[in-house]
Amino acid sequence: MSDQLMMIVSLRIPPSEEARFTDFYHHQYIPALLQVAPEIDAVWRYEEFGVTGSLRWFNKQFLTHYLFKPGVDVTDITDLLQRPGREEQTKAWAHWKQNHLVDVERHCFKEIYRHSRESADGIFGSRPFFRVSVQTEPSQTVAFNHWYHEEYLPKIMADVPAWSATRRYESLDRDPALVHTVYEVESVHTLDEAFGLMRAPYRFSSNADWDAWVGKAIVWQDATSFRPIFRIQN
């Protein structure tokens, strides 16, 4: 596992404002932040995928992943986000947040699981991914994680070779903690193949095992697919 922390910013924006905000965010806000914060290793941005033809298309979610260099802790992240030198971009961000952005959240995460299967170009290599998010009952978290890491994930990686990599991230600044499982694929076409394999008859017992944890350990869950729309290295 990596000791690099990752900050995830999630938001929604009306389609009518998406183009203007994206241009500002990709080519002004993020580059200005990278200039004053060399501790940021890489930035990736994603949009919710697979919502065409549904009402969710009008309120799709966007993610920005900020990966920090080794040795950066949560306190460092808070400090570097407040550094001088990008006041104009910070003011513009505040305007967007107040007038157009919806469901804005920012949390820091640490990696708690990494499967041995990895892509050659490293994590988040401009690939789509399927993300499963859970909150667990604190008294059941240890037992659930043991089952999930030692039984469920190794089995699903064997049963679904279309997954090119799998990792889990746990929030450090949120109570209750939020945990994301990220299943990477090579393309959006591979994503459809992976979903088909997940629902194969020989997977029924594993899927039933997951359902048995719902309500017992899993108190909230969500699952969404995302595709890359921006990538920059520092």
Side-chain angles (χ1 to χ4, degrees):
M1 290 188 297
S2 171
D3 63 352
Q4 293 178 266
L5 298 187
M6 182 169 66
M7 182 176 70
I8 301 178
V9 178
S10 62
L11 58 86
R12 302 181 192 274
I13 185 169
S16 60
E17 300 294 336
E18 183 181 323
R20 285 200 310 126
F21 175 73
T22 297
D23 183 63
F24 158 72
Y25 196 46
H26 289 184
H27 304 298
Q28 298 180 49
Y29 184 85
I30 293 176
L33 178 57
L34 293 180
Q35 285 185 357
V36 303
E39 295 91 341
I40 299 174
D41 204 11
V43 182
W44 302 273
R45 194 157 183 258
Y46 301 86
E47 67 174 357
E48 191 173 359
F49 173 70
V51 294
T52 303
S54 72
L55 290 177
R56 289 185 69 175
W57 180 85
F58 294 96
N59 197 31
K60 60 185 174 183
Q61 187 178 26
F62 292 86
L63 305 177
T64 308
H65 289 184
Y66 295 88
L67 184 68
F68 295 91
K69 290 179 167 55
V72 173
D73 62 25
V74 174
T75 302
D76 295 330
I77 294 171
T78 302
D79 291 341
L80 68 85
L81 292 176
Q82 299 173 349
R83 284 178 185 166
R86 57 187 190 98
E87 289 77 12
E88 180 180 344
Q89 291 77 21
T90 301
K91 182 179 179 180
W93 166 264
H95 174 81
W96 279 103
K97 186 176 180 181
Q98 180 177 355
N99 294 281
H100 300 294
L101 305 184
V102 181
D103 298 337
V104 180
E105 291 192 21
R106 185 186 77 199
H107 297 293
C108 293
F109 291 80
K110 66 177 180 179
E111 185 179 306
I112 61 171
Y113 173 90
R114 180 180 293 205
H115 189 270
S116 58
R117 186 189 305 164
E118 295 187 44
S119 299
D121 56 351
I123 67 171
F124 297 113
S126 297
R127 288 182 295 275
F129 61 81
F130 176 56
R131 190 180 79 175
V132 178
S133 305
V134 299
Q135 293 176 15
T136 55
E137 168 61 39
S139 64
Q140 296 290 326
T141 298
V142 172
F144 172 76
N145 284 347
H146 177 79
W147 167 79
Y148 197 48
H149 296 170
E150 301 299 325
E151 297 183 37
Y152 183 84
L153 288 176
K155 189 172 183 180
I156 198 173
M157 290 298 285
D159 287 344
V160 186
W163 298 136
S164 57
T166 295
R167 296 176 303 280
R168 292 192 84 208
Y169 296 91
E170 181 181 57
S171 64
L172 297 173
D173 53 2
R174 187 180 187 277
D175 187 19
L178 179 65
V179 182
H180 298 309
T181 303
V182 174
Y183 298 93
E184 290 187 352
V185 291
E186 293 302 320
S187 70
V188 294
H189 306 293
T190 313
L191 193 60
D192 289 336
E193 177 186 350
F195 289 151
L197 291 171
M198 285 181 70
R199 300 178 182 122
Y202 57 82
R203 291 274 315 148
F204 284 174
S205 62
S206 290
N207 293 335
D209 289 342
W210 172 272
D211 290 339
W213 285 97
V214 176
K216 171 185 169 184
I218 301 170
V219 298
W220 176 87
Q221 62 177 321
D222 188 37
T224 314
S225 299
F226 293 92
R227 62 182 173 188
I229 59 172
F230 179 80
R231 178 183 182 181
I232 189 170
Q233 307 295 128
N234 205 355

